Amino acid sequence: MPNQEKLRQQLLQLDGRGYKAYRDIEGSYEFSDFTLIVDRTQGDPFAAPSHVRVKVAGEIAAFPPQLYQTKSRAIALRDYLTRQFDLYARSISKRRGTGNSGLIGITRIGQEVLERTSVLIDDEFVEVRFVVGLPAGGRRILGHQAVEMLCEQIPQIVDRTLKYYHLDANKIQHHVEVVEDADWIRQQLAERGLVAFIPNGAILPRRSGVDDRPLPNEAIAFQSPKSLQVEFNCPNQGLITGMGVPAGVTLIVGGGYHGKSTLLRAIELGVYNHIPNDGRELVVTHPAAVKIRAEDGRNIVGVDISPFINHLPQGKSTTNFSTTNASGSTSQAANIIEALEADAKVLLVDEDTAATNFMIRDRRMQALIAKDKEPITPFIDKVKQLYADYNVSTILVMGGSGDYFEVADTVIAMQNFQPEDVTAKAKAIAQEYTYSRTPEGGERFGQITARIPLPESIDPSYRQKQVRLKVRDVDEMVFGTEDIDLSAVEQIVDTAQSRAIAAAMVYAVRQYIDGKRTLAEILALVMADIEFEGLDILTPFPQCDLASFRQFELAAAINRLRSLNVR
């Protein structure tokens, strides 16, 4: 295998040549204490940066095995190392020419701890994947600057971020233990009859809609009401107390700006772990909780929305409903059915992003518009049946309709960002005001009909060898010739997840979408393959910028394809 000096000589010989000549350095190089692997070089300084890996032998990296002995701990350690690499690389990398020249980057990191492809670790190696912008002046190679980057700066980054003795052992241990405790609590929820947990002392408000870090000092620490307080004796941090949200139908009520949506948002993101000092690091939610909202204008293909909507004008079918421009009510109905199809166990709904006519039809409207003239069966008449028939719980922010008191199992009032259990009071009010509406939902929720995607309707390559995939942002991807809008899929939190979802769609087309398997079966097979093989099965060469996702978000992307056809 060529060594560091060989790479240095190659780069100096390439100085001044056309940029594509960088392809000559693809391969592996042995440095004194690690191996550098150049997997793919960019063809232009303005193109996506080159993909590079470093492998450090386990005895050199010297991380104690107890830090990565379980999956939970390994993901936490990999996350910590990714953050350290990112911080140090950004501190020393500098512009060295045109385009992306001089960039040394790994992947964008937020507050969530996700399983990523950026760092792998086991007893034999620590492997880090990152990108570099190989230096150019115009479109000519800057060989001397490339030597500085690859032969001097990368060894410096490796030494400072991938060797245990150079890192803060206490911070690593704490990072790993916090994530492990969150995973442990999440695993306990079902047997405790809970769907979410918010610890006392949690800081839920964020700095802004575009800054997900905790609000500074003025934020109010969360404190559970006594009636809902539960305890967990965690493996690392010991006894943790906080509010348990029971299974069933839970309302979050309260005045405007008192923290209703903030609490729901924390629960919504509790399907993921968070870094220490995030304020939500022990806020945990059932892993199959899905945020539901109205989504005017979305594409819907072959969804049985008949549990909610029937006898549409012109005899349009609702058992096999399709539209290219859904209304608020039909889109929310489809979003619920699609989530159930993907095996969701908790629905999270905020009235602010819901269709009003889908959520409630009050007594006066029932009196004015007879049921046989109204196609929509509102959610209020289905939410209890959903739990009784399918064991699917709902957490609902509702500040505008007390009719939901009658169907709620638990009612939590938020006042100045503090929760109060007002279930008994809400039930008493429901009993006192006897002019309540007439239920319209029938005895059962209704059928959840499986759909079978047709393979010819999902063709990202347009039958070409090269598949065009591009993620513009966390909520927008290009899949072949289609733009997919994921802005209403609120539990995608990272562009690395979006990239992995796009790649998983291609994988599903090539491996499992055969016109025979249902969408639920396809999702289960894809997720099982990723669980067994890792995210690397989705890409032709190792990449640093993929992150784990759930079957619900993969299903959401597939369901929003305008070319999709099902039977």
Side-chain angles (χ1 to χ4, degrees), residues 146-459:
V147 167
E148 183 184 7
M149 284 183 68
L150 298 182
C151 298
E152 297 172 17
Q153 286 193 324
I154 288 178
Q156 185 179 350
I157 297 170
V158 169
D159 188 60
R160 301 300 302 181
T161 67
L162 300 181
K163 295 178 181 177
Y164 183 65
Y165 72 89
H166 268 154
L167 298 169
D168 188 321
N170 291 329
K171 286 185 177 179
I172 295 175
Q173 187 73 27
H174 183 54
H175 198 90
V176 166
E177 290 180 350
V178 165
V179 171
E180 184 176 49
D181 282 348
D183 276 332
W184 184 87
I185 294 173
R186 191 175 291 106
Q187 292 166 5
Q188 307 299 309
L189 290 177
E191 67 181 55
R192 298 281 294 271
L194 303 174
V195 294
F197 172 76
I198 303 92
N200 293 337
I203 302 297
L204 304 186
R206 302 291 98 184
R207 297 191 181 191
S208 73
V210 294
D211 188 344
D212 203 36
R213 292 176 297 170
L215 199 65
N217 300 329
E218 64 267 25
I220 299 171
F222 188 91
Q223 182 65 43
S224 172
K226 295 295 183 184
S227 56
L228 294 175
Q229 188 158 288
V230 296
E231 297 179 343
F232 289 94
N233 193 10
C234 297
N236 302 300
Q237 298 173 75
L239 196 64
I240 302 293
T241 61
M243 185 177 80
V245 179
V249 180
T250 298
L251 290 189
I252 302 173
V253 301
Y257 308 103
H258 277 266
K260 301 187 303 296
S261 295
T262 299
L263 174 57
L264 187 72
R265 179 62 174 168
I267 292 171
E268 171 188 331
L269 296 182
V271 298
Y272 303 120
N273 295 327
H274 291 80
I275 60 174
N277 302 316
D278 170 78
R280 304 165 300 180
E281 57 264 40
L282 292 181
V283 175
V284 298
T285 305
H286 193 295
V290 179
K291 177 70 182 297
I292 300 294
R293 59 172 295 162
E295 191 177 351
D296 292 48
R298 69 153 287 196
N299 188 68
I300 299 171
V301 180
V303 180
D304 183 354
I305 60 173
S306 62
F308 295 108
I309 300 177
N310 269 299
H311 58 268
L312 287 174
Q314 290 85 49
K316 187 174 179 65
S317 171
T318 61
T319 59
N320 185 23
F321 181 78
S322 297
T323 181
T324 59
N325 188 21
S327 67
S329 57
T330 55
S331 65
Q332 191 165 349
N335 286 344
I336 290 174
I337 298 299
E338 289 169 352
L340 298 176
E341 182 183 23
D343 203 26
K345 294 303 180 187
V346 184
L347 303 183
L348 309 173
V349 184
D350 190 330
E351 65 176 349
D352 286 349
T353 55
T356 301
N357 63 335
F358 180 81
M359 297 302 295
I360 184 68
R361 215 162 78 90
D362 66 18
R363 182 174 66 92
R364 291 184 175 88
M365 191 59 71
Q366 287 180 323
L368 181 64
I369 306 296
K371 177 57 184 169
D372 62 357
K373 305 298 184 186
E374 173 54 74
I376 302 171
T377 298
F379 190 60
I380 190 173
D381 292 321
K382 288 295 184 179
V383 66
K384 290 286 281 188
Q385 298 170 358
L386 193 53
Y387 184 59
D389 294 354
Y390 293 101
N391 197 32
V392 174
S393 297
T394 299
I395 302 175
L396 170 64
V397 166
M398 177 60 66
S401 175
D403 286 342
Y404 270 88
F405 293 170
E406 293 189 44
V407 299
D409 300 304
T410 306
V411 184
I412 299 168
M414 294 298 291
Q415 184 172 354
N416 196 24
F417 290 89
Q418 291 300 315
E420 180 184 356
D421 182 0
V422 295
T423 305
K425 186 176 181 180
K427 293 298 184 182
I429 291 171
Q431 289 293 320
E432 180 181 353
Y433 294 91
T434 57
Y435 54 79
S436 60
R437 57 188 301 283
T438 302
E440 300 176 350
E443 297 298 321
R444 307 299 297 270
F445 177 80
Q447 183 74 24
I448 301 171
T449 305
R451 295 175 300 153
I452 298 175
L454 301 182
E456 61 271 17
S457 70
I458 309 174
D459 188 1

Side-chain angles (χ1 to χ4, degrees), residues 6-78:
K6 177 65 175 178
L7 176 60
R8 181 188 299 272
Q9 292 171 5
Q10 277 187 281
L11 292 170
L12 293 176
Q13 289 168 3
L14 293 175
D15 186 56
R17 292 182 57 184
Y19 197 85
K20 291 184 185 296
Y22 266 130
R23 290 176 182 168
D24 291 351
I25 69 169
E26 291 180 359
S28 300
Y29 301 88
E30 197 68 44
F31 282 58
S32 60
D33 53 1
F34 66 90
T35 300
L36 177 72
I37 304 162
V38 182
D39 286 307
R40 186 194 68 83
T41 55
Q42 62 207 92
D44 185 278
F46 296 93
S50 303
H51 288 258
V52 178
R53 284 181 287 155
V54 160
K55 296 183 75 171
V56 183
E59 60 267 24
I60 294 174
F63 287 93
Q66 56 91 9
L67 290 175
Y68 56 85
Q69 63 189 358
T70 65
K71 182 176 181 178
S72 177
R73 284 178 163 244
I75 290 172
L77 177 58
R78 291 161 57 188

